[in-house]
Amino acid sequence: MKNLFAISFLLFCLSTTAQSVSIHGVVKDIVTKEAVIAASVGVQNSGLGTITNEEGNFQMNAPKSGSIVISCLGYKPMIIPVPEFNEEIKTIFLEQSEEVLEEVIVTKVPLHQVLKEVVETSVARFNKPILLHTYYREFVRENNKYTKFSDGLIDYHVSGTTKKTKSALIILQNRSFFLGKSEEEEDESMGSFLNVQRGIISGYSFTYLTEYVFSEGAYEEYEFNLKSKKDKAGNEYYSISFVPKPEVEKALYQGTITYDPRTKLIYEVDVFMAPTHKSYTKTRNFLIAKVAFLDSKYKSAYKVVNNNYLMSYNNRYLKIHIWNKKNDYLSESRSDLIVTDFEKDDQSYNKKEVFTKKDLYDKPTSFKEKFWQTNNAIVLTSEEEKIIASLEKETIEVPKNK
């Protein structure tokens, strides 16, 4: 009986796989004809999804009988049956939402407390344990020249409590390209400041807000604003924006948090170092070098699928100046992480396969297919393809004494 069940299950899986097709599209604004960047593209009533790249392009695998939902804040969502996609790239035009009301809201409750409440509500609402199937990639540029690229299919086994999120990483497939350095330069390397381990944790704990922007509860250093937007369909969302006070002489951030006023769930976080306060950046002394953090950006998006509230995407950017007596360089790092699917997690993964290092570059390249062209990965722009091709050609592996 068990064998019969196993065979039936296998046939079902094979049937499901056979019914999946690869679709490609480009999403544009119907008026401006410009690309809609980071639009959410997913299978209706499913966790399968991806996002559009900087050229508006996307690719994904979807069941033939399904429908594709394309959405982005500020636009009317669109639902397209999978059979309407063919082998060519389908151009999809989104209409901007007709906003009938945008007003500043005055509340008796201080806005930093409102922000604190929506963060706490969102953190408590995340489903755990949960297995997030993701595609992760990272670009690094030093002294205006790209020196590193890595990407991979990573399973994040997310667990923990409301107060602390835990995440165990298992890398299914990956590749890395980097220009080799001398052993002396490798010894002096500062490592990755983005840290692949925190790719999910930062989004699930909103640590970017609590640890960096409002560290030690520094709300008094900011001015807050609360706005409400509603379209003709009756959809409404609130946005809390904040900027540093002019008189505060610190390198501070500004940004916007968008949330649903009914559920108090956050749907988008967009934070970056305020241009008006970058000049107050201070130098930090590390054991091997001095470091100045010149710029930083963070953006993440969230969604509800079948009553599951989860992060769907995040983007991180960091620009730093590192120098000592022997070296002096400007380093820029950018990472993108998208949740391509999810499922309930029983935490029964093999603990020996868990990746514990901070850099994806520390894992030797290993893949059995061109996963970056499938598995709902972010489509490379023409410029990104050139960067990776150049790195792949120039890559020199330097043995590490570890």
Side-chain angles (χ1 to χ4, degrees), residues 114-178:
V114 176
L115 177 58
K116 186 178 180 182
E117 179 187 1
V118 298
V119 168
E120 291 176 348
T121 301
S122 299
V123 169
R125 179 64 175 77
F126 286 126
N127 298 65
K128 298 177 188 175
I130 191 168
L131 170 56
L132 302 178
H133 303 294
T134 76
Y135 170 74
Y136 177 90
R137 70 178 187 182
E138 182 177 319
F139 289 90
V140 175
R141 187 165 67 166
E142 295 180 358
N143 292 334
N144 297 318
K145 181 179 181 180
Y146 284 95
T147 57
K148 289 183 180 181
F149 169 80
S150 65
D151 67 348
L153 300 181
I154 304 177
D155 277 353
Y156 285 85
H157 294 265
V158 184
S159 61
T161 63
T162 300
K163 293 184 178 180
K164 186 175 182 180
T165 297
K166 298 179 181 179
S167 180
L169 283 64
I170 294 181
I171 301 174
L172 307 179
Q173 301 185 62
N174 70 291
R175 60 176 177 162
S176 295
F177 305 118
F178 53 96

Side-chain angles (χ1 to χ4, degrees), residues 27-31 36 39-41 68-80 92-100 230-235 237:
V27 182
K28 297 183 178 182
D29 185 297
I30 195 169
V31 176
V36 179
S40 175
V41 182
I68 302 301
V69 180
I70 303 171
S71 61
C72 186
L73 282 176
Y75 289 91
K76 296 179 181 179
M78 181 175 287
I79 301 176
I80 304 173
I92 300 148
F93 293 101
L94 293 185
E95 294 182 47
Q96 292 189 16
S97 299
E98 297 181 34
E99 294 168 356
V100 296
K230 183 183 293 186
D231 59 30
K232 287 186 177 180
N235 301 309
Y237 57 89

Side-chain angles (χ1 to χ4, degrees), residues 207-377:
T207 52
Y208 205 87
L209 291 173
T210 58
E211 294 181 7
Y212 298 99
V213 180
F214 305 118
S215 61
E216 299 179 359
Y219 300 106
E220 69 282 354
E221 298 175 340
Y222 292 89
E223 295 176 348
F224 293 84
N225 186 283
L226 177 62
K227 286 186 178 182
S228 167
K229 288 187 179 182
K230 183 183 293 186
D231 59 30
K232 287 186 177 180
N235 301 309
E236 183 179 29
Y237 57 89
Y238 284 5
S239 61
I240 297 177
S241 59
F242 58 90
V243 295
K245 292 179 179 178
E247 65 272 17
V248 180
E249 297 183 352
K250 293 182 180 180
L252 299 176
Y253 294 81
Q254 70 181 73
T256 304
I257 291 86
T258 303
Y259 68 97
D260 186 327
R262 297 165 302 168
T263 62
K264 299 289 179 27
L265 294 181
I266 294 174
Y267 281 91
E268 190 171 276
V269 175
D270 191 359
V271 177
F272 53 94
M273 189 175 287
T276 55
H277 286 60
K278 287 183 181 179
S279 59
Y280 299 118
T281 297
K282 293 183 179 180
T283 299
R284 302 184 186 182
N285 292 313
F286 288 86
L287 182 63
I288 59 176
K290 292 183 179 181
V291 178
F293 291 80
L294 304 181
D295 199 3
S296 180
K297 300 176 185 178
Y298 181 85
K299 186 171 184 176
S300 58
Y302 304 82
K303 62 183 179 181
V304 176
V305 180
N306 297 332
N307 203 35
N308 290 281
Y309 177 60
L310 66 151
M311 189 186 80
S312 60
Y313 164 72
N314 79 26
N315 168 267
R316 297 178 293 168
Y317 170 81
L318 183 63
K319 182 178 182 180
I320 58 178
H321 181 202
I322 305 173
W323 72 99
N324 55 26
K325 293 180 179 180
K326 297 180 180 179
N327 297 295
D328 188 337
Y329 62 96
L330 196 66
S331 176
E332 296 175 82
S333 300
R334 173 173 66 88
S335 74
D336 295 278
L337 185 150
I338 58 171
V339 175
T340 57
D341 202 357
F342 70 94
E343 59 187 277
K344 187 175 180 180
D345 191 13
D346 60 8
Q347 299 287 294
S348 61
Y349 55 88
N350 186 344
K351 304 299 189 295
K352 293 182 180 180
E353 295 180 356
V354 174
F355 183 72
T356 58
K357 295 184 179 180
K358 295 180 180 180
D359 292 345
L360 194 57
Y361 310 105
D362 286 327
K363 188 178 187 305
T365 293
S366 175
F367 57 87
K368 54 189 176 183
E369 61 180 340
K370 293 183 177 180
F371 64 83
W372 53 93
Q373 295 179 356
T374 58
N375 294 284
N376 305 346

